[in-house]
Amino acid sequence: MTKEVHAPGGKIVGPSSQVMMIPSSVFGGLLAALAASGDGVTGVTFGVSVTLAAVAVVSAILGWRRAKSVEALSPFLLWSSADYPFSQLDPDRRRLLVRQMFGREPVTAENAELVRFLIRRKRRRATALMPSLLAMFLILAALAIAAGYPGWGLLGAVFLLAVLVTATQYEKRREDRVLRLTDEANLDKE
């Protein structure tokens, strides 16, 4: 497998996660508007819910366009993607690369450049998914406000955001450690 085959994002088969967030945001926005238009809900609640839903849809569209422009679309169904980076490798090499990417085994000199490429690719795709995650948070908040539970909506959004930030920082530290190991493997090779 060469870097050129899968450079920068490659083509994906089927819809991307980013494009699937657009109809999900529209559907969530319609549900929020429907829930907010019910009995006992004030006009302010309706306005806030619909505004949050509209911002979510715009965020989803902009996120998809941005990911497409930088070739960082993430496949909706990972296993059916022609862009899957390990499809050309035998199962043993695939397992070894994954173990090296996650820091479970030392990075070998012959895999150092490929591991570095795969980590950078993973980071680019994760960054491209952020607007879609923002759209999801906004739709959840709009639905919670429309349903009359703004406190629960805020609590849920804060909890999800805390989990996302914690997981992202954990992944970044692990990937930085593996990237340092790839630098050491490259130095050993020279």
Side-chain angles (χ1 to χ4, degrees):
M1 179 171 84
T2 62
K3 288 193 311 186
E4 292 77 28
V5 172
H6 294 289
K11 301 293 180 204
I12 62 169
V13 175
S16 67
S17 295
Q18 289 92 342
V19 81
M20 291 304 291
M21 195 60 208
I22 296 169
S24 299
S25 297
V26 170
F27 181 70
L30 291 174
L31 283 178
L34 191 65
S37 66
D39 294 335
V41 177
T42 65
V44 173
T45 303
F46 180 79
V48 170
S49 296
V50 170
T51 302
L52 285 175
V55 171
V57 171
V58 169
S59 175
I61 291 170
L62 292 177
W64 167 70
R65 290 190 56 166
R66 173 76 176 132
K68 187 176 179 183
S69 71
V70 297
E71 296 180 348
L73 290 172
S74 296
F76 186 64
L77 301 173
L78 183 65
W79 54 87
S80 69
S81 174
D83 186 38
Y84 189 63
F86 302 118
S87 61
Q88 300 172 357
L89 300 175
D90 63 89
D92 291 333
R93 177 111 191 262
R94 211 177 300 156
R95 278 189 289 276
L96 177 65
L97 273 173
V98 169
R99 293 186 64 75
Q100 289 177 353
M101 273 181 63
F102 289 116
R104 293 185 188 127
E105 285 191 24
V107 179
T108 60
E110 60 271 2
N111 288 339
E113 192 59 35
L114 189 54
V115 168
R116 177 182 301 285
F117 166 74
L118 291 170
I119 288 174
R120 285 183 181 156
R121 180 177 181 268
K122 181 179 172 233
R123 283 183 173 181
R124 186 177 54 254
R125 284 199 166 168
T127 301
L129 275 172
M130 290 303 159
S132 295
L133 289 173
L134 174 64
M136 181 185 67
F137 287 139
L138 290 171
I139 286 296
L140 289 174
L143 287 169
I145 290 170
Y149 299 106
W152 284 107
L154 180 62
L155 184 64
V158 167
F159 175 74
L160 288 174
L161 186 61
V163 168
L164 180 67
V165 167
T166 303
T168 301
Q169 288 303 311
Y170 174 79
E171 282 290 308
K172 185 179 180 329
R173 278 197 310 270
R174 186 173 50 81
E175 289 169 349
D176 286 343
R177 183 174 48 84
V178 172
L179 287 173
R180 281 192 303 277
L181 292 173
T182 60
D183 289 340
E184 292 171 10
N186 277 337
L187 289 176
D188 292 343
K189 187 166 89 171
E190 295 172 358

